[in-house]
Amino acid sequence: MLGMKMVVDSLRGRRRRLPCSLWFLLLFAAGGLVLFIHQRDLSEMVLQQGPGVKLRSSPRQSRETLSTQDRDRGKSDNFLDRTEDILSSPIPPMQFPHFEASKQTATPGSREQNRQASSPGSREQDITSVHVSKRQRKLLKTSPPIHHTTDSDSSSSSSSSSSSSSVSSPSALGSFTPDRWKKLADIQIARRQLMKEMCAKYKSSISKTITAHHVKNLFVEDKYKLLYCQVPKAGCSNWKRTLIVLAGLASNAQSIQHDTVHEGHYLRELNTFDRKGIMHRLETYTKVMFVREPLERMVSAYRDKFENPNNYYHNLFGKPIISKYRANPSPEALKTGNGVTFKEFVQYLLDVHRPVGMDIHWDQTNQLCNPCLIDYDFIGKFENMEEESNFLLRLTGAPPNVKLPSFKDRNPADKRTSTNITQKYFSQVSALERQRIYDFYYTDYLMFNYTKPFKDLY
């Protein structure tokens, strides 16, 4: 009887505990159901707002997201933003002295290609289409003194007159429309980006130390904080005239004689400063260079120095060239150095054992200005000299009446060297010599985006 009572009491205790367990299970299931419904509602809300929309992001989260996106966008977009600021800001454009000083990730050729499409006379080439053959790579690696190139000219100049408004006003664009201003700025982005790519590809092993030798062709204009690399036969004389005017040493460029420009010592070379002065100016001044189609520039130099009276070049270069490359030269030719033919000049350039060294007038542009060491802010082209020079002068904040002169002061009776004239001169040499001269300037063709001048080149 006692045992039966204990069993009954035990069963009664279980019945009392059973409802508690069941209640716990019911509460757990209800909680899970509520959580499931809540998650489902959240998912529906996100889908309704569409992809890419962040739900209830805090101001801090938004700022962090935007800053990440800005970093990913690349510096080329930052430059475009700054260009738009320049267009609408009362601050003079050259308050941003390195107006394109960033290491952009801009699409290398698209913007110059757009310009080509809009200008029928242009020879600009899509820089993304540059192909380098194994042979060309070998030439670059095995012939350090001889550098090769491919590029195209800028569009034919649609010259712009002097600006009618002060650069310190909101209309600092002068005669440029906002669209044209932005397009010229975009072209600079593309040119500088191409330069960086070519330097990374072919000059990555060069020393990064800048010495006085590397800046010997840079001229200083302190008032407007300009560094100009002279490239003879690419508007060099007229740009020096303009720098003299900017420095306040002359009232107008037209009155400055050729000998005064080059021998008057009005402009100071950058290599005459101490190292601290050199580096300070390289870091803070606007660095400028103007380039020209390489073979056209070479023919222009030959015509200027050897087809016209020039005692210095005929004595220094003409005599040894005639002596080495002409069969049975006359005593008169050996005595004066007059009459060097274009073919003899080509032979001299291609000779690794030249009887006389190179000259600044036909040396490669990349050797004169060292663009793989010096980060140029502006790379202009001779083929569009007037418009691009005017654009640069407006950027620097130069007075609106200051323009680059366009006159030809050396041998003014001669026609300017053109594509047709260049082709006529090169018809005097063999196909192999044309190819070798193209190879000689090949790095300039690549870096400055000029197309092959002859169809039979490879």
Side-chain angles (χ1 to χ4, degrees):
M1 190 68 181
L2 180 61
M4 180 62 69
K5 185 178 180 180
M6 291 175 64
V7 171
V8 171
D9 290 342
S10 176
L11 289 173
R12 285 176 180 172
R14 287 182 186 176
R15 282 198 299 271
R16 284 196 297 269
R17 288 191 296 270
L18 183 59
C20 292
S21 301
L22 182 59
W23 178 249
F24 177 79
L25 290 174
L26 287 174
L27 284 175
F28 183 81
L33 181 61
V34 171
L35 180 62
F36 173 78
I37 293 171
H38 182 63
Q39 288 179 338
R40 183 179 177 185
D41 291 342
L42 284 175
S43 300
E44 290 176 355
M45 289 173 66
V46 172
L47 290 175
Q48 289 172 2
Q49 293 193 32
V53 179
K54 292 180 175 57
L55 186 64
R56 295 180 182 177
S57 60
S58 67
R60 180 179 179 181
Q61 289 172 329
S62 299
R63 286 194 297 269
E64 290 172 349
T65 303
L66 287 173
S67 67
T68 302
Q69 291 173 346
D70 287 342
R71 286 195 300 270
D72 294 341
R73 226 190 276 166
K75 293 188 176 180
S76 61
D77 287 344
N78 293 337
F79 168 72
L80 293 178
D81 293 341
R82 279 184 286 155
T83 303
E84 291 174 1
D85 291 340
I86 291 173
L87 297 180
S88 59
S89 171
I91 302 174
M94 283 314 293
Q95 295 296 323
F96 314 97
H98 301 288
F99 73 97
E100 196 263 316
S102 58
K103 298 176 178 62
Q104 296 93 342
T105 56
T107 305
S110 60
R111 293 174 178 128
E112 287 222 45
Q113 192 176 24
N114 290 340
R115 184 166 185 234
Q116 177 187 17
S118 64
S119 304
S122 171
R123 290 182 290 170
E124 288 284 1
Q125 168 190 350
D126 179 2
I127 59 180
T128 60
S129 66
V130 174
H131 174 71
V132 184
S133 67
K134 291 182 179 179
R135 172 185 171 279
Q136 292 163 342
R137 291 193 191 97
K138 184 177 180 182
L139 282 170
L140 282 169
K141 292 178 181 178
T142 58
S143 308
I146 301 179
H147 305 288
H148 328 327
T149 336
T150 12
D151 187 82
S152 75
D153 304 333
S154 216
S155 64
S156 57
S157 62
S158 55
S159 63
S160 54
S161 59
S162 62
S163 71
S164 58
S165 55
S166 170
V167 185
S168 60
S169 69
S171 58
L173 309 185
S175 59
F176 294 99
T177 65
D179 286 344
R180 189 57 185 161
W181 179 285
K182 184 176 182 300
K183 197 161 193 176
L184 289 168
D186 287 346
I187 287 171
Q188 287 301 316
I189 292 177
R191 288 178 185 170
R192 294 186 70 243
Q193 178 63 21
L194 174 64
M195 179 67 66
K196 288 177 172 61
E197 291 176 2
M198 293 300 103
C199 288
K201 193 167 187 178
Y202 296 111
K203 301 279 190 175
S204 57
S205 62
I206 66 173
S207 171
K208 301 301 180 183
T209 302
I210 297 176
T211 66
H213 172 76
H214 295 123
V215 299
K216 65 182 180 180
N217 291 313
L218 271 72
F219 287 83
V220 180
E221 201 294 292
D222 284 314
K223 184 177 180 181
Y224 289 90
K225 299 186 182 302
L226 282 172
L227 295 180
Y228 168 73
C229 180
Q230 64 168 341
V231 179
K233 315 313 297 179
C236 175
S237 298
N238 282 333
W239 252 107
K240 284 185 177 180
R241 286 186 173 93
T242 304
L243 293 177
I244 292 172
V245 172
L246 289 176
L249 302 174
S251 58
N252 64 82
Q254 285 76 8
S255 63
I256 307 173
Q257 299 298 315
H258 185 273
D259 290 343
T260 303
V261 170
H262 296 287
E263 300 172 14
H265 304 291
Y266 287 102
L267 297 172
R268 188 172 175 183
E269 295 93 338
L270 184 57
N271 66 346
T272 61
F273 292 86
D274 60 20
R275 178 159 185 81
K276 184 178 179 181
I278 290 174
M279 297 312 297
H280 168 71
R281 285 166 177 79
L282 286 174
E283 291 166 3
T284 60
Y285 283 23
T286 301
K287 298 171 287 295
V288 178
M289 64 186 297
F290 274 82
V291 300
R292 185 177 184 178
E293 203 284 332
L295 295 195
E296 205 168 282
R297 174 174 166 258
M298 169 218 164
V299 170
S300 178
Y302 165 77
R303 295 177 69 203
D304 181 28
K305 304 306 178 188
F306 295 106
E307 287 189 344
N308 291 283
N310 192 313
N311 290 334
Y312 175 82
Y313 278 90
H314 292 184
N315 277 300
L316 183 61
F317 290 91
K319 290 178 181 180
I321 287 175
I322 290 172
S323 176
K324 182 167 186 180
Y325 306 110
R326 183 176 298 181
N328 303 316
S330 68
E332 180 68 15
L334 290 173
K335 180 181 178 181
T336 62
N338 297 342
V340 172
T341 66
F342 184 70
K343 186 175 181 65
E344 291 168 344
F345 180 62
V346 167
Q347 289 176 300
Y348 148 76
L349 278 180
L350 297 177
D351 191 349
V352 294
H353 303 293
R354 298 184 189 98
V356 61
M358 286 293 289
D359 182 76
I360 190 174
H361 288 82
W362 48 79
D363 203 354
Q364 297 99 328
T365 299
N366 74 88
Q367 293 292 314
L368 298 176
C369 296
N370 298 291
C372 292
L373 281 176
I374 299 168
D375 187 17
Y376 285 88
D377 302 290
F378 192 98
I379 303 171
K381 289 201 171 183
F382 179 85
E383 292 75 19
N384 194 29
M385 175 66 80
E386 188 170 353
E387 183 184 40
E388 294 187 17
S389 296
N390 195 29
F391 175 59
L392 174 60
L393 288 169
R394 304 291 73 79
L395 278 170
T396 61
N401 64 321
V402 175
K403 293 195 303 180
L404 188 82
S406 58
F407 64 84
K408 186 178 186 293
D409 63 336
R410 292 280 294 176
N411 310 307
D414 294 345
K415 289 184 178 180
R416 285 190 186 272
T417 303
S418 63
T419 301
N420 290 336
I421 289 176
T422 300
Q423 290 174 345
K424 287 179 181 178
Y425 275 83
F426 272 94
S427 67
Q428 303 172 29
V429 300
S430 67
L432 178 59
E433 287 171 321
R434 283 199 302 272
Q435 180 66 51
R436 292 184 62 199
I437 286 291
Y438 172 71
D439 290 344
F440 181 81
Y441 291 106
Y442 182 66
T443 301
D444 284 352
Y445 276 96
L446 279 182
M447 287 185 173
F448 307 118
N449 197 25
Y450 283 100
T451 55
K452 294 177 182 178
F454 303 105
K455 293 181 179 180
D456 59 350
L457 298 174
Y458 57 87

